[in-house]
Amino acid sequence: MRRHPGRRALSGVLAAAVALAAGHLLAATTAPNASPFLAVGSSAIDLAPRPLKEFAVRQFGEQDKTVLLAGMAVTVLVLAAAAGLLSRRGPLPGVVLITGFGLLGSVAAATRPDLGPLGVLPSLLATGIGVLAFTVLVRGQRRDCGDRGRRDFLLSAGALGAGAVVLGTAGTLASSTGTAARTADRALRERIPPLTPARSGTDFARLGTPRFHTRNADFYRVDTALTVPRLDAGSWRLRVHGMVERERDIDLADLLRRPRETVPITMTCVSNEVGGPYVSTAEFTGVPIADVLAEAGVLPGAEQLFSTSSDGYTAGTPLDAVTDPARPALLAYGMNGEPLPAEHGYPVRMVTSGLYGYLSATKWLVDLKLTTFDEVTYWEERGWAEHAPIKTQSRIDRPRPFDALAAGRTTVAGVAWAQPHGIRQVEVSVDDGPWRSADLSAEVSGHTWRMWRIEVDLPPGGHEIRSRATDRTGRTQTRWRQGTVPDGATGHHSVFCTARN
Ligand SMILES: Nc1nc2c(c(=O)[nH]1)N[C@H]1C(S)=C(S)[C@@H](COP(=O)(O)O)O[C@H]1N2
Ligand SMILES: [Mo]
């Protein structure tokens, strides 16, 4: 084996791969997030310092999790190959590395909020299999270095490689199917009215604005979940407790029996940069949160509705927002005429008009606790604000940045939002010239976005077009540039383009 560095490196890689795959499969049959690979990934997400997180979101957008997993895979395989190379005199270096990985996975799994103590089992199994596979490969090599040794090595390496692929694929398939509770799901579908078609004039999609309703598949997605939680509608329960007179324990049948509301709401993420894509609109169906709270009887002194998801994410919504009769705040189970897609919180999530999603829109909701603001939430621990009303914003969708246009008259169009108040006016300025008022789309409600368009005259040359919105309280979007931390970005969106003769 001393003379075969390539085989040693490959042994390390194969042992690591088969170990991770075995852990992944065992986890898939119980709790998918207990997969050592995913547990470490989830912990990395939770432990990442804020600047790193922002960088990842900015650089990779919704692909950030794929990039993380790919980076982890490369790191593990490179280290495993290195440990294999070091194992010249025997398997010890590789065994140490694999055990180290195993410990890392166990610690990560043991500290995940959504996993019980059994969550470490997949990591322990993976460690055992990894150590065994590596030892067998390295030891087998020491016995025979000739052609037979070569053949034996290729055989066992091939078997291990194939085993890793089969186990890993089986694990991924098993965790994505899950147990479907057909009856509960059918009851859910029956309670959701078909999507109300948007009235004409509510968007300028032909000019490049979004359509009024964002399709579920196109709705922006932001969450900390490395694998999408797949909850079973039949066994879903929501606990309502804390500062209440009567604790409640609600199941889906109970929720579906209650009076429901169907309303379009525009959701916005606090991480949306000026001009960014994290804003979408859907018609949500659900039960007013206030109804459930009234039933539980909120005790005096409660300030915050502290919500927890099945995967341990927490958010704190100011109580006055969810009990404000002027704005929808729902335990939502329907989205655009369908049950919530798994990515958007199936079977039940919160949606609150006028607050950024991180503190008002918990997906995969399982627990509501009435507390004071002393109880600190996931994003607050990471430096985001305790209160975060959505800031009035406008975005230019046409022209696109750096478009080359024909000089002369051209249409500028975009979208603006100011939930829960709504948009009163959008103005556009070219090259810091006077602000001119744009035409607005038909208003649906203050809880939804509004599209705008205007004709401008562009002489040949480079131009900067900027927009600003004024909400129904009369407040105009500030030009002052501020980043997304701690409570949402401000500033005008501006687009540079060139006009040619
Ligand atoms: N369980 C859970 N709910 C969550 C989050 C999360 O990470 N986990 N992210 C929140 C954030 S930051 C936003 S902006 C919205 C996004 O909802 P969407 O992905 O359906 O658009 O969900 C909120 N609810
Ligand atoms: Mo967000």
Side-chain angles (χ1 to χ4, degrees), residues 9 67 116 330 335 350 394 480:
V67 172
L330 300 179
M335 182 175 182
M350 289 172 58
S394 59
W480 177 255

Side-chain angles (χ1 to χ4, degrees), residues 57-134:
V57 169
R58 209 169 327 117
Q59 239 16 62
F60 309 118
E62 301 198 10
Q63 297 308 312
D64 54 351
K65 295 179 189 90
T66 316
V67 172
L68 171 72
L69 291 179
M72 280 173 48
V74 170
T75 311
V76 168
L77 296 181
V78 166
L79 287 177
L85 282 176
L86 287 175
S87 302
R88 290 176 59 206
R89 299 220 162 72
L92 191 64
V95 167
V96 168
L97 181 86
I98 293 169
T99 313
F101 279 156
L103 275 178
L104 196 65
S106 306
V107 170
T111 51
R112 295 304 309 149
D114 53 334
L115 298 175
L118 291 184
V120 300
L121 283 183
S123 296
L124 296 182
L125 174 82
T127 315
I129 290 191
V131 166
L132 189 70
F134 188 72

Side-chain angles (χ1 to χ4, degrees), residues 50-62 64-65 220-224 267-279 313 355-359 378-379 382-385 388-391 393 395 417 481-490:
R50 200 178 63 200
L52 182 63
K53 260 195 184 140
E54 282 162 50
F55 170 83
V57 169
R58 209 169 327 117
Q59 239 16 62
F60 309 118
E62 301 198 10
D64 54 351
K65 295 179 189 90
Y220 85 88
R221 177 185 164 202
V222 172
D223 55 60
T224 60
M267 287 185 50
T268 316
C269 181
V270 71
S271 300
N272 196 46
E273 306 279 350
V274 171
Y278 297 149
V279 52
Y313 175 87
L355 302 178
Y356 286 118
Y358 78 96
L359 48 61
Y378 187 92
W379 286 113
R382 289 157 178 83
W384 297 82
I390 290 174
K391 295 179 180 174
Q393 270 293 345
R395 183 182 78 196
W417 58 88
R481 273 267 173 182
Q482 188 193 293
T484 55
V485 186
D487 62 357
T490 66

Side-chain angles (χ1 to χ4, degrees), residues 325-341:
R327 70 169 96 197
L330 300 179
L331 300 175
Y333 49 81
M335 182 175 182
N336 289 332
E338 286 169 31
L340 298 173

Side-chain angles (χ1 to χ4, degrees), residues 4-22:
H4 294 293
R7 290 188 201 171
R8 291 201 311 271
L10 189 59
S11 302
V13 167
L14 287 172
V18 81
L20 286 177

Side-chain angles (χ1 to χ4, degrees), residues 29 34 40 88 99 147 167 175 194 213 232 238 271 279 307 317 354 362 374 386 399 434 459 477 484 500:
T29 61
V40 171
R88 290 176 59 206
T99 313
D147 271 355
L167 293 178
S175 55
H213 292 118
D232 176 315
L238 175 66
S271 300
V279 52
S307 53
T317 318
T362 302
D374 291 341
E386 187 176 84
Q477 181 186 337
T484 55
R500 297 215 184 94

